[in-house]
Every structure is written in structure tokens, then in C-alpha cells.
Amino acid sequence: MIDFGLSEEEELIRTSARSFASEKLRPHALEHEELSRVKPDVVDAYRQLGFSLLEAPAELGGAGLSTFAKCLVLEELGWGDAGAALAVEGVWPGYYALLESAPKEVQSKLFGELAGSGEPRCALVLDVDGRLQIQNGTVQGSASFVPTASAQTAAVLKEGEILLVDGKGLTFKPLTGCALQATGPSEIQFTDAKILHRAKDPAAYERCAARIRLYTAALLVGVARASLEYAMKYAQERSTFGKPIAHHQGIAFIIADMATAVDAGRLSLWKAVYQLQKGEQIGWHAAAAYQEVGENSRYVTDYGVQLLGGHGYIKDHPVEKWMREAQVLSTIWGGLDQADLDGAELVLAG
């Protein structure tokens, strides 16, 4: 039986994450987007909370808490600013690859290096279109979008394999004018990038891809919730024909559908996390949850813009930013299309 009640610890985690998002992320969202980075004091404040390594085991410096607790944090961060969330997270979600496939000595070495560095970063690439080649223990090629401006290492998921790659062989070309700008988004070039560890393990690959999808879905729930709340408040304050537009039937129906979409996405995510924590095969559940949340978030953020009319398309209001973020988070790391393909294969395989 799934219990949706939060424990006292989970309530505290969510409250702390919500406070951080409302005080450190949301007020500075435009500034971080213009800078293409998050201010150092915000990064430091997040590290002090210890949320970045929430799921990592204690021997690697983490808190050893549940994926569900992490999803609670990520929803709040996505509500505050999804781009800044990925920036302050740093090592995640790329380090799911490390936790799923690397031997303990490799985990200890890389986590220790990241813990001692100024701004830990692990680039993540799902090479679903074969743009990367493996030659003589190195990786060659490029990926068109990664949400980071630098990295000490990279995790590459390719054809059932998980590879950890030395950051010395990586070059980052900044991208502008796109979503998640606070991360310092880049095109990444692999040039004789040395493979530190290579694991051909389809089961680990599936678990890693699934956990990445759950991570991204949690951010998307927060983005959709932010758009719903803002658009609903706007519709209650703006009046036409003597009453707030939220009380006109057509607008009220749209808002109700948006609220339903947010809740349905969250429940889909929580169900998948529940299956993961039970130790069940998670590939199908994660693909389905990501698909549900991705489609719903695009619906909600699109209508979030439309409910503001012409105002929705200018940066005076954040709804256009949330629409861009929902689009990119639905296409990053293989996106909804790859989730559809993987889910179809799993269904056909029974």
C-alpha cells in the first residue's frame, strides 16, 4: 500500500528546501539567467543544507536518505528556478551513473575529488543518436547541449554501457538564448577524453536512465506548479466585465485542468519512486512517470503564458521562462521521445 503521508523528517526536508527556493532562487532567477551562473553565496548556502548528496551513502559523504526525499527537494527547487537548481546540485544527476556502475574504489576517488573541489560538476550525456565514438580507451565527438559550463568528469550512457570520462578531455562552448541559462549551458566536445571506468551492464544502464528521468520529472513538477500558482494569482487579480477573469467559466475550466495536470504528474512520479524503493524493476515506471510529467508540464506552462495574454511573453513575468524550462527538461537526456521508445520496448518485453 502506498502511503502519501510525509514523515516528520520528510516534512522538515521539504520545508527547508521550500525556504531555500523562495529566499535564494526565485528572487534572483532573472539575475542568474543573465549571468549564466548562480552566485557563489547561493551555492554555498545550498551546500550547507547538504541536499546535493542527499541520496549518496554515508561512506561517500552523503546522508543516505531516500529517493523520495530527494524528489521533495527537487520539486521545490524546480519551483524556485530549475536552471539554478541544476547549477547548485552540481554532481547530480550524472553521479547516478557512478552509484549504479562503478566499483567502490572508483566511487570513493571521484566523490573525494568532487568534495574537495571549488565547484563540483559532472556532465551527463545520453548518447541516443550515436554522436560519440569510443576509440582506444577514449571518447571522441560532441553533444549539443549540457547544462553546465565546466566539469571535472562526465558520465556517458551509450548503448547499454555506462562510461565515466576524465574532464581533461572536455571542451565547453557556451550557448546563449536558451532555457536553463543559469547552468551556463554548453555544447560539449570530447577530444581524446580518457575513460576512467567502463561498465557494459544493461540492468545498471536501465536503472541509471530511470533515476535520471525521475530526477528530471521532479524538477518539472516544480516548474509546472510555479506556472499554475502564478497564472492563477494573475487570473484572480485581473478583472473584466466586473469580475476577476478566473471566475469566467472558460478560464476557470483551464485553471482546473492545469491543477489536475500538476497533481497527476506528482502522483505519477511518487508512484514510480515507490516502486524504485521497493526494489522492483523501475524502467517502465520511470519512463511512464517522466512521460506523464513532461507532457503535463508543457501543457501547464503553455497555458500559464496564455492566461497572461501578451504579458505572458515578456520577461516582466516569469511564465515565459517556465515554459522554456518545461520544453528543455522534456527533451534533455534523450527526452520524452527516448522515454517513449524505452517504455515501448519494456511493454513488448512483458
Side-chain angles (χ1 to χ4, degrees):
M1 179 177 176
I2 302 176
D3 181 4
F4 292 115
L6 302 187
S7 68
E8 185 176 342
E9 182 180 45
E10 289 165 345
E11 285 282 11
L12 178 61
I13 288 170
R14 184 169 67 174
T15 300
S16 299
R18 185 167 293 179
S19 296
F20 176 82
S22 62
E23 295 170 11
K24 300 293 186 180
L25 298 188
R26 178 70 74 84
H28 305 290
L30 277 180
E31 181 182 3
H32 289 154
E33 190 168 47
E34 290 170 359
L35 292 171
S36 288
R37 62 178 176 84
V38 174
K39 295 188 296 184
D41 64 299
V42 176
V43 178
D44 290 341
Y46 188 71
R47 286 186 190 152
Q48 290 174 16
L49 288 172
F51 287 155
S52 183
L53 297 178
L54 198 69
E55 291 176 273
E59 59 267 26
L60 296 176
L65 294 181
S66 68
T67 300
F68 180 70
K70 185 73 172 186
C71 285
L72 294 175
V73 171
L74 291 170
E75 178 181 336
E76 301 306 323
L77 299 186
W79 175 91
D81 181 354
L86 286 168
V88 298
E89 278 277 278
V91 299
W92 300 99
Y95 265 68
Y96 285 131
L98 177 61
L99 293 176
E100 287 291 348
S101 67
K104 292 295 184 183
E105 59 271 19
V106 175
Q107 292 181 5
S108 298
K109 178 177 183 296
L110 290 179
F111 266 92
E113 290 174 356
L114 286 170
S117 64
E119 290 191 15
R121 289 288 181 271
C122 178
L124 171 66
V125 177
L126 268 71
D127 185 31
V128 297
D129 51 6
R131 298 183 64 179
L132 300 181
Q133 295 80 46
I134 301 172
Q135 301 173 0
N136 302 319
T138 66
V139 178
Q140 314 288 336
S142 65
S144 58
F145 182 94
V146 290
T148 183
S150 63
Q152 289 90 342
T153 188
V156 176
L157 276 66
K158 180 180 176 66
E159 298 173 347
E161 287 191 280
I162 301 175
L163 302 96
L164 300 174
V165 179
D166 192 344
K168 294 177 182 177
L170 308 178
T171 305
F172 296 83
K173 179 182 177 181
L175 299 173
T176 58
C178 56
L180 306 179
Q181 197 65 44
T183 64
S186 308
E187 178 183 345
I188 183 172
Q189 180 72 40
F190 292 75
T191 306
D192 297 324
K194 182 181 178 182
I195 297 174
L196 302 174
H197 178 72
R198 182 176 183 181
K200 189 171 182 62
D201 184 341
Y205 178 99
E206 181 182 317
R207 287 194 305 273
C208 185
R211 295 179 76 172
I212 291 165
R213 285 171 179 149
L214 296 179
Y215 182 104
T216 312
L219 286 174
L220 278 167
V221 172
V223 172
R225 193 186 98 212
S227 187
L228 166 66
E229 292 175 358
Y230 194 93
M232 186 164 57
K233 184 174 185 293
Y234 180 90
Q236 290 171 323
E237 294 174 349
R238 180 175 173 82
S239 295
T240 60
F241 302 107
K243 61 182 178 181
I245 63 172
H247 294 278
H248 293 289
Q249 190 177 74
I251 301 298
F253 285 170
I254 291 172
I255 292 173
D257 287 345
M258 291 168 68
T260 300
V262 172
D263 282 352
R266 183 187 295 109
L267 290 173
S268 171
L269 169 65
W270 285 12
K271 177 187 175 183
V273 171
Y274 173 77
Q275 302 294 341
L276 172 67
Q277 293 179 172
K278 282 177 61 180
E280 296 188 7
Q281 292 293 321
I282 188 59
W284 156 250
H285 298 287
Y290 178 48
Q291 185 71 26
E292 177 79 7
V293 174
E295 293 288 355
N296 288 4
S297 66
R298 293 198 294 194
Y299 171 84
V300 170
T301 55
D302 180 52
Y303 269 108
V305 170
Q306 292 190 45
L307 286 177
L308 269 69
H311 291 161
Y313 293 91
I314 59 177
K315 288 193 174 183
D316 291 353
H317 298 278
V319 286
E320 60 83 27
K321 177 179 182 294
W322 294 324
M323 183 175 68
R324 288 187 280 118
E325 289 173 344
Q327 292 292 333
V328 171
L329 288 169
S330 298
T331 56
I332 197 171
W333 300 317
L336 299 184
D337 289 344
Q338 189 61 41
D340 261 346
L341 290 171
D342 292 349
E345 288 182 6
L346 290 165
V347 169
L348 292 172

